[in-house]
Amino acid sequence: MAKVLVTRRQFEDQMDRLRAEAETVVLTRAAPATREELLEAVKGCTGIFAHINDRIDAAVMDASGESLKVIAEFGVGYDNIDTSAASERNIAVGNTPGVLTETAADFAFALIQAAGRRLAESDRFVRRGEWKWFEPLDLLGLDINGSTLGIIGMGRIGSSVARRATASGMNVVYFNRNRAKDELGARRTGSLDELLAESDFVTVHCPLTPETQGLIGTEQFQRMRSHAVLVNTARGPIVDTDALAEGLRTGEIAYAALDVTDPEPIPTGHPLLEMENVTLLPHIASATVGTRKKMSQMTVDNILAALHGKLPPNCVNGESITWG
Ligand code: DGY
């Protein structure tokens, strides 16, 4: 019988689908597997149901032995998987595109609004008992309507955010390698610098690649407007964390709302945790019941297809796979 490793607790109905066809090992510990545990747990696996903070590299693939056919990521981003190493070994890599687009866009737009109107900071203010009377000059935010939103990465999620922003009266500009299929009233800027200089809000929606790692660092914060808000729901390493902390401290930008950080989670004692002008969230952009269930189902679909000798329905390296 094939063996499948699932690296976190998942929806039981989807685990039952796997159990019907494979010996299914679910790692149920509260924390992610250590490197040693992962290398041990993958031995003899045909499939791995992986999550964003599992580093699935050549060593993990080789530790599984010759049997590994599929690595299915629970998510649309798969930067934690070495896809070149997988392709060299004829291992299919699957992901879950499309299903979380609207959920992630809802969340990014919620963060734009929450950061603009300083909601998390205001909540902390009330909880600390500091709200004593109406104060007309306290906790003033930034209007959403009439402001300019700069979208970095105008793919599926970026475009969905553009739709929400336009409907809320924002001017939208975007920076993307190619012109978007549907610009939705947004204007493509000639450069990232141009977008940063024009935007009141900047939201990140590009994938993490060697080209986008550290895309927003010291120089980019210097180009942003001093009242600007940065929202990152894509991947932490796209933004240089130290440069961000410095930019927020010196007033180069006003506010940041981060669903993703580098490192993730942000360690205890990190300067960002002490700052009032930052909202920090635990990578929950796709975390609704409906969407996470669909992601789990798609991940299992990808694994089961491979167990049946077929390419996963959502395969990112299908052109390199010689079975299926
Ligand atoms: C995704 O789908 O990429 C989410 O960030 C979860 O990892």
Side-chain angles (χ1 to χ4, degrees):
M1 201 183 205
K3 180 179 165 193
V4 173
L5 173 70
V6 182
T7 65
R8 287 297 179 285
R9 281 191 306 119
Q10 272 289 343
F11 294 97
E12 273 306 309
D13 54 341
Q14 296 307 325
M15 296 302 93
D16 286 344
R17 290 178 66 211
L18 284 178
R19 286 184 193 110
E21 309 217 20
E23 177 195 342
T24 302
V25 178
V26 184
L27 302 182
T28 52
R29 202 153 72 67
T34 64
R35 182 81 179 152
E36 291 66 37
E37 285 167 339
L38 188 59
L39 288 168
E40 182 60 31
V42 294
K43 281 187 183 157
C45 280
T46 308
I48 303 176
F49 185 132
H51 299 82
I52 188 60
N53 39 17
D54 304 319
R55 181 159 57 89
I56 311 286
D57 56 13
V60 172
M61 296 173 204
D62 292 339
S64 70
E66 297 289 297
S67 54
L68 189 62
K69 282 183 91 170
V70 61
I71 303 162
E73 176 73 17
F74 176 76
V76 65
Y78 49 88
D79 44 275
N80 54 316
I81 301 172
D82 184 341
T83 48
S84 309
S87 297
E88 278 162 22
R89 290 161 178 76
N90 212 14
I91 299 167
V93 177
N95 70 338
T96 67
V99 70
L100 50 80
T101 303
E102 298 304 324
T103 302
D106 280 345
F107 185 80
F109 198 61
L111 276 193
I112 289 165
Q113 298 182 81
R117 298 303 305 274
R118 302 169 65 177
L119 295 193
E121 188 186 351
S122 301
D123 175 84
R124 292 191 293 265
F125 174 78
V126 173
R127 286 172 197 271
R128 282 195 304 265
E130 286 176 26
W131 184 32
K132 305 277 192 243
W133 49 74
F134 172 74
E135 189 56 75
L137 301 183
D138 265 359
L139 292 165
L140 303 184
L142 199 55
D143 273 317
I144 305 300
N145 69 85
S147 284
T148 296
L149 174 67
I151 300 179
I152 301 176
M154 190 75 160
R156 279 183 290 253
I157 298 174
S159 301
S160 291
V161 172
R163 212 175 310 117
R164 285 159 178 76
T166 310
S168 295
M170 299 186 93
N171 309 308
V172 183
V173 294
Y174 72 93
F175 176 66
N176 201 56
R177 258 187 317 199
N178 308 310
R179 191 165 284 287
K181 277 192 208 116
D182 182 353
E183 295 198 304
L184 302 149
R187 178 173 57 78
R188 183 176 174 222
T189 59
S191 66
L192 177 59
D193 285 354
E194 192 182 324
L195 176 139
L196 296 173
E198 283 183 33
S199 300
D200 303 301
F201 293 83
V202 174
T203 184
V204 184
H205 296 290
C206 55
L208 174 62
T209 63
E211 292 75 43
T212 64
Q213 176 145 11
L215 185 70
I216 305 184
T218 304
E219 279 178 32
Q220 287 65 38
F221 289 119
Q222 285 164 356
R223 291 194 163 82
M224 286 172 73
R225 310 179 81 173
S226 57
H227 65 259
V229 171
L230 175 74
V231 174
N232 188 6
T233 54
R235 285 292 182 265
I238 298 170
V239 176
D240 178 330
T241 311
D242 292 341
L244 172 62
E246 188 58 11
L248 287 163
R249 197 185 60 74
T250 57
E252 258 154 12
I253 68 164
Y255 211 100
L258 311 172
D259 186 43
V260 291
T261 54
D262 179 29
E264 196 169 292
I266 204 91
T268 315
H270 193 282
L272 284 182
L273 292 168
E274 304 304 319
M275 293 180 166
E276 276 299 334
N277 53 345
V278 186
T279 295
L280 292 163
L281 296 152
H283 203 140
I284 53 168
S286 65
T288 65
V289 177
T291 293
R292 287 274 164 97
K293 281 189 168 172
K294 285 184 211 148
M295 289 164 68
S296 191
Q297 180 177 352
M298 282 173 87
T299 310
V300 170
D301 289 347
N302 282 338
I303 294 172
L304 291 181
L307 296 192
H308 294 158
K310 298 199 186 85
L311 273 188
N314 289 289
C315 186
V316 302
N317 64 341
E319 68 296 336
S320 323
I321 303 302
T322 55
W323 53 267

